[in-house]
Each structure stands twice: as C-alpha cells, then as structure tokens.
Amino acid sequence: MSFQLSFVSLETNVFAARREAVRGRRAMVASQHELASHIGADVMRRGGNAVDASIAVALALAVVYPEAGNLGGGGFMLIRFKDGRTTAIDYREMAPQGATRDIFVNEKGEIIKGEGSSTIGYRAAGVPGTPAGLEMAFNKYGSKKIAWAELVEPARLLAQDGYVLSYRLANLFKAYKDTLEKYADSKRIFLNNGNFYEEGDVLKQPELAKTLERIKKSGAQGFYTGETARLIAEDMRANNGLITLEDLKNYRAKERTPLRGTYRGHEIISMPPPSSGGIVLLQALNVLENYDLRQMQHNSSKKYHLLAETLRRSFADRAEFMADPDFAVVPVADLIAKSYAAKRGATIDLTKATRSADIRAGEIAARESMDTTHFTVVDPDGTIVSNTYTINDLYGSRVTAKGTGVLLNDEMDDFAARPGKPNMFGLIQGERNAVQPKKRPLSSMTPTIVLRKDGTPWFAIGARGGPRIITAVLQTVINMIDHDMNIQQAINAPRIHHQWFPDEILAEPYGMSPDTRIALESLGHNFTDKPGFIASATGIEIEEKTGVRLGAIDARSDGASTGY
Ligand code: DON
C-alpha cells in the first residue's frame, strides 16, 4: 500500500498553508499604517485617482508614522498610467547651499560624530522635498476631481485631534529616547516631555496640524515660504544648521524618466538616479537571468551563493558610478546593458566566493567624465503608484524644527561624508557622491513596477531599509517570477543581503538552515555576527484573470492594506 502524505491535493494544501493578500476588486492601498491606507482608499472611492490617493497617504503617514512618514524628508514616486506611460517624480532632498565637501570631517580628517555630523542634529538635514514632490504630482497627474485641500485635510485632522498609539509605536519612541530627548520639540512631542507615551495613549501634534493647515491653504508654498519656512530657517540659524530661507525657496522637485529593463521577458520599471535602486536591481537581474534559479530552488545555498556574488559586484559599481546625475556622469545605459551583465557574470565562480577586496567596479568608458516607508496604490482605472519616501534613519536627524512639528531628515549621511569610508549603513561610496551644494545624495530606494509578458501590469513593490531595500526588491521579483509565489509569500519569504563591503552575508533570524550556512561557508562566504531582518516591503499584485488588486504588507513590519 502506498503511503498517503496528505488528505488534500497539493493545490488545496497550498491554500491552507498561506496567508492571503488583502483583496479589493477595484482599488487598493498598501501602506505601513492602517489609517493612512483607509484615507487613500477613501480618496479613490470619492473619484480620485492613484496619484491623489498617494498624496493623501503620504501626508497621513507624516502624522501617524513619524519614524519615516514625513514632510521633512524626500523620496521618489514612480507612476504607471493606465495607458502604459510611466514617469518618476524625484523629490529627494538637496544639500543646502552652505554644505561643502568636507563639512562632516574634522581637522584630523576623521568623520565627525554626534551634533554636527551627517547622522544627527541640525547639519544632518538636507532641504526637504516631500511637499514639493506631492504638489508636483498633484498639479501634473492628479485627477482634478478632488481638491488639494481635501487631500491634506485628513492628515491635518489626525495631527489636530490625535490618534491612538500602537504598542509598537509607543515603544519605538522609548527606544529612541536617548537621541530624541536632545531636541526640545522632539522631546515634548514624541516623548511626552519625558513622561513617555504608552500603548493606547492618544498622540496629538498641534504644531504639525498648523503646518498642515498652511500647506492645505497655500500648497507647497505653505512649507517653503512664509511662516513654516521662517520657523525652520530660524531654528537652523540658532543651532548652527545650514538650511536657509533661500534654500527652502529654491527647492525643486524634478521629473525623471524611469529605467526600463527586462527579466525573463517581463518588463521591469524602476527608479533612475539619484537612486541607485533601479540600476543595481536591473544589473543584478541581468546577471541572474543567465542561471536557472527555479531549478536551484528558493532557499538553496547554490542560489544564495549566486545572489551574494551578483550583489557584491553590483554594489561595487554603485560605489564607483552612481550619484546625482545633475552633478556627475552616471553611465546608466552601460550599467544596465545585458552585454555588460554577461561580462560581470562571467567572473562569478560557482564553486567559490570571490573576496570583495578583489572586486572592483566594472570597466565602463564613461568613467572619466566628470527610516523610510514604501506604499503602493492601484486605482480603479489601473494607474499604479509605487512610492518610497524617507527621513533616512528612524526619526531622521531627531530634530523637530521648533514650532513646526516637522521632524527633519538626516539624508546628508547618504552622501559620502568621506569618500571610501562607510556611512551609517556601512556603504562605501565614491567621489561622485561627495557633498556639494544643491546636490541630491545617492539613494537606494527602489520603487518598482513589473509587467506580465503581454505588457499588462502584474505587481508593484518597494521597501524600506537602506541598501537592503535593493536586495529585498530583487528577491521579491525573483520570488514572483522564478518561484511562482503570490505577492504576500514573495514579500514574506526569507532573504539574504550582501553589499560588497562589509564582505559578509546577512541572513535573517529563522531564515536560513544551519546546513545552508555551512554549505555557504565552505564556499568561502563570511556571515555577519548576528542575523538581522532585511528591509520590509509592501506591494500590490493585480490578479491575472480577475483584475482583483492584492495588497501585501511585509510580515517583518506593521501596516495594512485597504481595498474595495
Ligand atoms: O535613500 C536611501 O537609500 C536611504 N535614505 C533609505 C533609508 C531607509 O530605508 C531607512 N529605513 N528604515
């Protein structure tokens, strides 16, 4: 008698063993806070499109997700319209006019720590881009069926009337106590003046409500000029910061052409510089396309070896070639060419790890010339927005500009404070990404949209987590295309990270078997001392036959999808 493994067919069994994505027949928002997702879905129910909804979600997250949602940071909004056109709005922060190449280095040539550094305090902040980016999105691509003021109002109300703090958020404030308490407004607002908030308490942010009121009335002008700008500039001046009224007035969001590549016949649309995300993603996919990952299987040492080898090469290129394209020549087309990937891939040895010290950036002719959150929205028409924005570290520079309720970013750390020396994320970056006035720091944010082979939209994805964003997005794409996972599974599945330097693989807690690790070590790979979670992603898949929108939030983080 043959042994029966299961009473149900394999297919039924798969259904029983997985958490489904949230389903919505017409529209979906997947963001890291339930209240923000509800607000976005409501905008679409009232006739707004995905761009309108994204603006409302971004503003709401600035209130309910202060670790990363923001007015005082910047980001990238990738849009694919229902007719197939695409665009990308770059609202990355800019270095203030007063920033110079060595501003974060002391007389001994060492990187400055603490106040005055690129990671904490007033000097860490770049000129925020979020209000300008959202306004540009509204003016160019909003439906015009919903007024700007109506998109701002839900966020303003949440700031004014408050919202209930979750267990996670109340504890996260406490976890950042040592740095938040150094800045008076941050201490008062986020630490309840030293008395701390508990789960279930209501957080009201009256100054932020007033700032949002000014933005509601005057659009981005309500941030970059007038009272808000005056408050920010005054606080900067009083605390040795760099951002001036001029800097604020001169900030501009920019529209960029998205990068397009293919992976096994699927079109991949992603973010161009000043993000490195799209280039590194496409380059890695181009290398991996030459191997049968499906046959290697998802969690195998063979596949992880190949991933680590591919990533260490791509991150070496990131350090050398990538920066703000308005300031440095970035050889984008060469870097994402299939022929270049073939050359880079040819140096991979399937039987042993290469030392990162032996890897240099590839040969490319153009060389000589000169706490984040992602949300995804799909509207009833099929327009898709994949948006990642950030203030960099959790709670950014920890500075809340006095009287505004606005937490400022510490995005200056995404520049190479000292080219060749690691930044907060351990990333080595090159001269092209040195600090310069008005320049945008190089990012890893990777908002991405993937099409089916017939050219119809399949899924959109993005993540938070610094350079780990790129590896998280890469592995989610592979999980969908090579391993036939649904969007929720693809996001949840264990992943690894490698970024060239430090020369080690980061694996996740519970994410890799000891046998797999031993197999990788025997090929010559090093591992980080401790495992750690690798980014957190949110995404939406569009179901092939029904068009149902499937919203998915990473098991590594909180958040919710709302659809209808
Ligand atoms: O732009 C970047 O690459 C970084 N500033 C992103 C930072 C980040 O994802 C932090 N997230 N938790």
Side-chain angles (χ1 to χ4, degrees):
M1 200 179 92
S2 69
F3 182 68
Q4 189 86 29
L5 258 183
S6 162
F7 294 109
V8 282
S9 73
L10 186 59
E11 185 141 324
T12 327
N13 210 3
V14 166
F15 273 110
R18 72 182 185 194
R19 185 193 160 107
E20 285 299 309
V22 171
R23 302 175 68 85
R25 286 173 59 187
R26 307 195 61 218
M28 181 66 62
V29 181
S31 89
Q32 290 197 284
H33 202 292
E34 195 180 353
L35 289 170
S37 294
H38 278 309
I39 285 169
D42 192 51
V43 165
M44 293 190 282
R45 267 201 198 94
R46 289 188 289 131
N49 64 13
V51 173
D52 298 327
S54 298
I55 294 163
V57 170
L59 293 167
L61 286 170
V63 181
V64 298
Y65 202 67
E67 72 197 68
N70 67 81
L71 295 175
F76 304 119
M77 184 184 284
L78 180 69
I79 312 171
R80 183 182 187 275
F81 302 97
K82 58 181 174 184
D83 62 5
R85 281 176 307 129
T86 58
T87 190
I89 295 178
D90 161 7
Y91 57 100
R92 181 73 162 162
E93 299 89 331
M94 284 166 70
Q97 181 63 43
T100 51
R101 184 182 182 282
D102 294 324
I103 194 165
F104 299 118
V105 176
N106 66 21
E107 318 76 59
K108 290 191 210 142
E110 298 156 346
I111 294 182
I112 295 170
K113 302 255 187 310
E115 190 61 46
S117 73
S118 61
T119 57
I120 190 165
Y122 286 81
R123 290 209 163 186
V127 184
T130 299
L134 300 183
E135 185 176 72
M136 176 184 263
F138 179 79
N139 287 340
K140 295 194 87 162
Y141 303 114
S143 69
K144 310 296 174 311
K145 290 183 191 151
I146 311 260
W148 171 260
E150 287 179 65
L151 301 178
V152 186
E153 182 60 6
R156 193 196 66 77
L157 280 174
L158 280 168
Q160 176 190 279
D161 300 341
Y163 63 96
V164 176
L165 290 176
S166 64
Y167 170 77
R168 180 180 171 282
L169 197 49
N171 284 296
L172 200 59
F173 287 145
K174 285 185 206 163
Y176 279 74
K177 154 186 162 308
D178 291 351
T179 45
L180 283 172
E181 72 184 9
K182 291 187 178 163
Y183 303 97
D185 276 29
S186 299
K187 179 175 177 185
R188 183 169 49 77
I189 297 168
F190 301 114
L191 302 178
N192 197 12
N193 222 2
N195 299 315
F196 302 115
Y197 289 107
E198 299 299 335
E199 150 185 32
D201 286 350
V202 171
L203 176 68
K204 293 186 184 176
Q205 301 173 76
E207 292 98 337
L208 184 57
K210 289 209 181 95
T211 298
L212 283 163
E213 175 69 44
R214 292 189 284 270
I215 290 175
K216 180 179 157 187
K217 239 190 226 144
S218 317
Q221 291 295 306
F223 182 89
Y224 294 101
T225 62
E227 178 72 356
T228 317
R230 187 185 63 75
L231 287 165
I232 295 173
E234 258 176 27
D235 201 27
M236 281 281 158
R237 206 167 36 234
N239 291 283
N240 206 21
L242 295 175
I243 299 175
T244 62
L245 277 178
E246 263 317 276
D247 286 322
L248 289 163
K249 202 177 75 194
N250 290 334
Y251 181 85
R252 294 285 176 275
K254 291 193 174 176
E255 211 166 353
R256 311 242 182 221
T257 306
L259 293 187
R260 307 182 88 105
T262 59
Y263 181 64
R264 305 198 201 280
H266 292 272
E267 193 165 354
I268 316 282
I269 303 158
S270 195
M271 193 64 209
S275 183
S276 62
I279 301 179
V280 176
L281 173 70
L282 291 176
Q283 198 186 86
L285 287 171
N286 285 343
V287 171
L288 294 168
E289 196 174 43
N290 298 317
Y291 298 86
D292 190 348
L293 300 190
R294 184 184 291 267
Q295 194 252 333
M296 287 181 184
Q297 299 200 25
H298 173 256
N299 242 348
S300 68
S301 58
K302 256 192 185 163
K303 186 182 136 185
Y304 282 153
H305 170 67
L306 188 59
L307 266 180
E309 290 305 302
T310 304
L311 286 165
R312 80 168 93 231
R313 285 162 176 77
S314 299
F315 272 91
D317 281 356
R318 181 191 190 279
E320 173 69 24
F321 295 120
M322 299 176 213
D324 181 347
D326 298 340
F327 283 75
V329 175
V330 184
V332 179
D334 291 332
L335 287 166
I336 62 172
K338 300 267 185 205
S339 53
Y340 177 66
K343 269 195 248 158
R344 287 298 262 172
T347 66
I348 294 176
D349 183 340
L350 289 178
T351 64
K352 76 174 195 305
T354 326
R355 288 171 52 229
S356 284
D358 296 333
I359 298 279
R360 292 278 163 273
E363 299 288 327
I364 285 188
R367 184 188 295 218
E368 299 310 323
S369 15
M370 343 175 336
D371 203 13
T372 309
T373 183
H374 180 84
F375 61 81
T376 311
V377 180
V378 178
D379 71 16
D381 282 339
T383 291
I384 302 173
V385 171
S386 188
N387 186 97
T388 316
Y389 75 149
T390 184
I391 44 177
N392 199 20
D393 207 357
L394 274 77
Y395 306 110
S397 62
R398 320 293 203 271
V399 173
T400 302
K402 194 170 172 203
T404 65
V406 174
L407 256 172
L408 295 173
N409 67 84
D410 61 342
E411 223 69 65
M412 294 299 280
D413 193 60
D414 277 346
F415 283 117
R418 227 184 116 190
K421 294 283 170 208
N423 75 351
M424 181 200 303
F425 299 111
L427 279 175
I428 307 279
Q429 316 197 79
E431 195 57 50
R432 276 185 172 80
N433 188 33
V435 184
Q436 275 177 271
K438 298 192 165 181
K439 190 175 178 181
R440 287 153 143 88
L442 181 62
S443 173
S444 298
M445 292 187 281
T446 316
T448 297
I449 296 169
V450 177
L451 307 185
R452 293 183 195 280
K453 285 187 180 163
D454 66 2
T456 58
W458 183 9
F459 63 96
I461 175 86
R464 65 183 277 181
R468 301 175 195 180
I469 291 172
I470 307 175
T471 43
V473 170
L474 172 69
Q475 287 166 88
T476 307
V477 170
I478 290 169
N479 289 343
M480 296 289 288
I481 294 179
D482 291 318
H483 302 307
D484 300 326
M485 298 186 193
N486 74 18
I487 189 84
Q488 187 66 60
Q489 294 170 314
I491 286 175
N492 283 356
R495 31 190 186 244
I496 62 151
H497 176 70
H498 200 299
Q499 60 179 45
W500 183 43
F501 282 107
D503 186 352
E504 53 195 20
I505 292 177
L506 173 65
E508 296 196 301
Y510 329 113
M512 182 183 284
S513 75
D515 317 34
T516 311
R517 179 173 166 149
I518 289 166
L520 285 163
E521 281 170 338
S522 74
L523 294 176
H525 290 283
N526 307 313
F527 277 79
T528 55
D529 291 344
K530 283 190 196 149
F533 288 108
I534 296 164
S536 70
T538 60
I540 298 176
E541 176 181 1
I542 300 175
E543 201 169 54
E544 187 165 19
K545 296 210 171 77
T546 62
V548 167
R549 283 77 164 112
L550 310 173
I553 307 289
D554 209 313
R556 296 164 184 80
S557 68
D558 50 4
S561 304
T562 305
Y564 65 92

